[in-house]
Each structure stands twice: as structure tokens, then as C-alpha cells.
Amino acid sequence: MAPISVLIVDDDTRILTIFAEVVASAPGLRLAGTAGDLPQGRRLLVELRPDVLLVDLGLPSGSGIELIRHAHLHLPATDVMVVSVFGDDAHIMASLEAGATGYLLKDSDPADLAAAVRALRAGGSPISPVIARHLLQRLAPAPAGPVDGDALLSPQERQVLTYSAKGFSFEEIARMLGVSRHTVMTYVKRSYRKLQVHSKTEAIYEARKLGLVRD
């Protein structure tokens, strides 16, 4: 199997040297080239057509996002991984939307770089733990505040659930409340919707948790 060819684009000469040494010495990887700015990086990307592009975002002559987008549009066989000091939402999302499938922060251990390149080429998405946390927090639903049960259900809806919990049928509840069965069912359906349930058993269970129904 041919080694994985890697192009590294970074304006930090110290980082560039470290990454180049890691790639060049790693089994199964081949250093295709290095570049310190956007124009040179674009030229090498087109000429070399590497298997993997490792790119910084803050280049002195432009953004690495441009290289990511170019690779995504014109070199679909090239996998792109960002290696950057930027870990904020704006840079993360811009990189992923441009076509990057991996994102490492520069404070990651350089020794892990070779494994990350192999994982990327194998179809994975190597991401620094901090970046993964950002993404999970972005996708997580907004935390719900404390539920005020009394405000959640109307007095009639609570009363119907209370009678249901005691074993009365909807017809019996209608007679006790002096309303039609249709009205009772309206209260029941509203309760289900507000409690986000689909059955009487679930409704009673949730109502008990909220302190709305007591045996």
C-alpha cells in the first residue's frame, strides 16, 4: 500500500518543522511538501494533489479556509485537517462548512499527529477534545428551567388526571364534573400535549412526578 502523502501549510516555522519531522518519520506517511503562506500552499496543493492537507487558518497572506474550500471543490480525494490555535465557534464552523473533516488545536501532542492523519485517511474525523465539546454544546438543546406544575396544567386538567389516577373512567369523570365526555377528552388531550406523553399511564406518571396527582 502506498504511503499517505501529506502537505502541510503553516506560517509558524517552528510548528511547520515539528509537524514535517513527525510526518516524515512516521511509518506509512510521506511528506509531500510544506508551505508557509497561502499562495505557495495553493500552488503545492494543485501540483502535488496530496492525500491529506494539514492547514493552519491564520496565514499571513489570507485564510486557510480558502485552501480548505479549494480542496473540497476541486480535490475531493484530498482529506483536510485543520491544525490551529483558533478554537472558537466561528473558526470551527467556518472550517467544517468549507470542507474540513478534522480539527486539531496546536496544543495537541505532536506525537499524536501521525495517528490522526491515518484516522482521517481511514474515514474518521480526528477532533481535539475541546473542539468536540464545543460542537456538542452547540448541538445540545437549551436546558429547561424548573417546571411549575400548577402553572403547566389548568385546574380542570389536574382534576381529570386526579380522578383518572384513582381509577375512574372518562364517562364517570364527566358525570362527576357535570360536563360532557367530549369536554373531558379535551382536557385529557391538552394534558397529554403539555406533559409530552401519549397515554393515560404516562400522563399520570408525569403528573405524579410534578406533584399534581397524589394518591
Side-chain angles (χ1 to χ4, degrees):
M1 183 179 295
I4 300 169
S5 60
V6 181
L7 170 63
I8 307 173
V9 181
D10 197 310
D11 67 313
D12 186 326
T13 54
R14 184 183 67 85
I15 293 294
L16 189 62
T17 300
I18 293 174
F19 286 176
E21 290 175 352
V22 169
V23 170
S25 62
L29 303 186
R30 177 176 65 83
L31 181 63
T34 62
D37 58 32
L38 184 60
Q40 185 183 16
R42 186 186 294 112
R43 179 176 59 80
L44 290 180
L45 181 62
V46 173
E47 290 178 1
L48 301 175
R49 305 176 72 87
D51 296 321
V52 172
L53 168 64
L54 299 182
V55 59
D56 188 14
L57 297 181
L59 301 175
S61 49
S63 173
I65 298 291
E66 295 181 41
L67 275 184
I68 298 172
R69 189 174 294 112
H70 181 90
H72 180 67
L73 293 176
H74 303 290
L75 300 170
T78 297
D79 293 309
V80 181
M81 182 157 59
V82 173
V83 184
S84 177
V85 296
F86 298 115
D88 58 283
D89 284 352
H91 284 93
I92 296 169
M93 298 312 298
S95 299
L96 298 181
E97 289 169 0
T101 50
Y103 201 116
L104 300 181
L105 293 178
K106 282 189 176 179
D107 60 2
S108 302
D109 189 343
D112 297 331
L113 183 64
V117 169
R118 294 190 190 97
L120 183 75
R121 195 59 184 164
S125 295
I127 297 178
S128 292
V130 173
I131 302 301
R133 188 177 183 87
H134 268 293
L135 294 175
L136 289 174
Q137 289 174 338
R138 186 182 182 89
L139 296 173
V147 176
D148 183 349
D150 291 336
L152 181 64
L153 300 181
S154 70
Q156 295 87 351
E157 292 161 355
R158 294 201 306 273
Q159 195 169 26
V160 168
L161 278 181
T162 298
Y163 284 137
S164 293
K166 293 180 182 297
F168 291 104
S169 68
F170 293 141
E171 289 80 4
E172 291 171 327
I173 295 172
R175 286 197 297 271
M176 286 187 288
L177 296 180
V179 298
S180 68
R181 187 180 188 280
H182 174 74
T183 299
V184 170
M185 293 308 299
T186 298
Y187 293 148
V188 170
K189 290 177 181 177
R190 288 176 182 171
S191 300
Y192 286 7
R193 185 173 65 253
K194 292 177 180 179
L195 295 172
Q196 299 181 9
V197 298
H198 304 284
S199 70
K200 182 172 72 173
T201 301
E202 290 178 308
I204 292 172
Y205 174 76
E206 292 296 330
R208 280 177 174 150
K209 284 203 307 182
L210 293 173
L212 300 176
V213 170
R214 295 179 178 83
D215 297 326

